[in-house]
């Protein structure tokens, strides 16, 4: 299987499908590159080279003890892009991956980047603080951490059966297979890595990273997202990025890579061709 090696020796697994202008997909917590398989297959079939990696501590990448924070995640992404010598890249980040691609821009610039897409993404800043009063209370993230320590497998079951895909809403029809895939990918992550990643996605301030975006940007978010609330994520990011385009999926939950995969594929393809 293909891997790149980071400066500290971590092995980062990636999938490299198709040929053409490159698209790089960054996944959410606690998932891995397989969570992008619908979009990766679709875009590769439509003439793009689509690369999706497993973040360190997730999927098939090294379960490092250290480096479970956004600066290292972004530097690992830079290692992948530099090693494959990708240029004119469209960076697409889902949820935690949205933070990863935003921090990549903040630390490494847009020299290799042509476009940026944030999908149900955690930027600009999830945690409620004195200067971010509309954010999510820390107690929400403390409960996730407590659930991880108490019964990590059940935590992932509960997330998949409930808010992640909106399966707790009246009339929801999310297949058992989709929910099982979330659980399976979650348990492939390292326990410490996934635990530490909760702080990475919730307590990292990406506002300065978004201010540095100087390429065309698309922000996609469901307005019934119970994991990253629309007002905290998509609306706030689109308002902060210069000349960003905002697409709102009415009634959509957090996990739109599965629940709205056809609509998301079509919107990504349209943006790539714009």
């Amino acid at each position: 299987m293909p891997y790149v090696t980071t400066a500290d020796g971590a092995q980062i697994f990636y999938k490299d499908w198709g040929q053409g202008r490159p698209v790089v997909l960054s996944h959410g917590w606690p998932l891995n590159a397989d969570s992008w398989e619908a979009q990766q297959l679709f875009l590769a079939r439509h003439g793009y080279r689509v690369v999706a990696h497993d973040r360190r501590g997730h999927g098939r990448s090294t379960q490092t003890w250290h480096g479970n924070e956004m600066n290292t995640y972004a530097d690992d992404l830079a290692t992948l892009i530099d090693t494959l010598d990708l240029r004119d890249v469209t960076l697409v980040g889902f949820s935690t991956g949205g933070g990863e691609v935003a921090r990549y821009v903040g630390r490494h610039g847009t020299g290799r980047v042509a476009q940026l897409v944030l999908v149900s993404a955690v930027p600009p800043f999830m945690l409620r603080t004195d200067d971010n009063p509309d954010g999510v209370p820390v107690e929400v993230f403390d409960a996730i951490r407590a659930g991880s320590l108490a019964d990590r497998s059940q935590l992932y079951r509960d997330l998949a059966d409930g808010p992640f895909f909106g399966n707790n809403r009246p009339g929801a029809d999310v297949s058992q297979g989709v929910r099982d895939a979330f659980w399976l990918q979650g348990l492939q992550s390292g326990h410490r890595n996934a635990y530490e990643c909760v702080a990475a996605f919730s307590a990292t301030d990406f506002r300065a990273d978004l201010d540095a975006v100087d390429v065309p940007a698309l922000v996609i978010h469901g307005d019934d997202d119970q994991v990253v609330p629309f007002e905290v994520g998509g609306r706030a990011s689109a308002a902060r990025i210069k000349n960003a385009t905002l697409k709102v999926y009415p009634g959509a939950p957090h996990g739109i890579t599965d629940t709205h995969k056809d609509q998301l594929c079509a919107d990504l393809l349209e943006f790539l061709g714009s």
Side-chain angles (χ1 to χ4, degrees), residues 116-175:
L116 179 75
V117 185
L118 301 179
V119 180
S120 307
V122 298
F125 187 18
M126 282 195 74
L127 186 65
R128 179 178 296 174
T129 61
D130 290 343
D131 71 342
N132 191 41
D134 297 325
V136 179
V138 70
E139 289 79 9
V140 172
F141 307 110
D142 286 343
I144 295 173
R145 282 184 278 258
S148 177
L149 294 176
D151 188 340
R152 194 162 75 104
S153 179
Q154 190 59 48
L155 170 68
Y156 298 156
R157 287 282 188 208
D158 292 343
L159 287 171
D161 290 344
F164 193 90
F165 297 113
N167 204 45
N168 55 346
R169 296 304 200 204
D173 184 22
V174 184
S175 76

Side-chain angles (χ1 to χ4, degrees), residues 104-125:
Y104 172 91
V105 170
R107 286 175 68 83
H108 300 278
T110 54
R112 291 179 179 268
V113 178
Q115 298 172 308
L116 179 75
V117 185
L118 301 179
V119 180
S120 307
V122 298
F125 187 18

Side-chain angles (χ1 to χ4, degrees), residues 4-102:
V4 296
T5 303
T6 67
D8 66 356
Q11 298 283 299
I12 304 297
F13 169 81
Y14 68 96
K15 299 193 289 189
D16 189 349
W17 294 358
Q19 295 180 324
R21 189 157 66 80
V23 181
V24 175
L25 306 173
S26 180
H27 63 80
W29 173 94
L31 305 173
N32 59 52
D34 295 345
S35 63
W36 281 116
E37 63 182 17
Q39 290 74 37
Q40 189 170 16
L41 181 61
F42 176 84
L43 295 176
R45 283 177 163 174
H46 283 78
Y48 292 91
R49 179 183 181 184
V50 192
V51 177
H53 69 296
D54 291 354
R55 184 174 304 116
R56 70 169 55 210
H58 297 70
R60 291 138 291 200
S61 294
T62 305
Q63 295 186 11
T64 57
W65 185 254
H66 53 274
N68 303 296
E69 35 72 31
M70 281 292 168
N71 286 349
T72 300
Y73 297 160
D75 291 351
D76 290 348
L77 180 60
T79 297
L80 175 69
I81 291 172
D82 291 349
T83 301
L84 299 182
D85 194 23
L86 303 179
R87 301 176 186 277
D88 203 20
V89 176
T90 296
L91 283 177
V92 185
F94 168 74
S95 193
T96 298
E100 184 177 306
V101 300

Side-chain angles (χ1 to χ4, degrees), residues 232-253:
V232 174
R235 185 184 293 281
S237 287
R240 194 160 191 108
I241 300 173
K242 292 183 286 291
N243 301 316
T245 298
L246 173 63
K247 279 186 178 285
V248 181
Y249 288 7

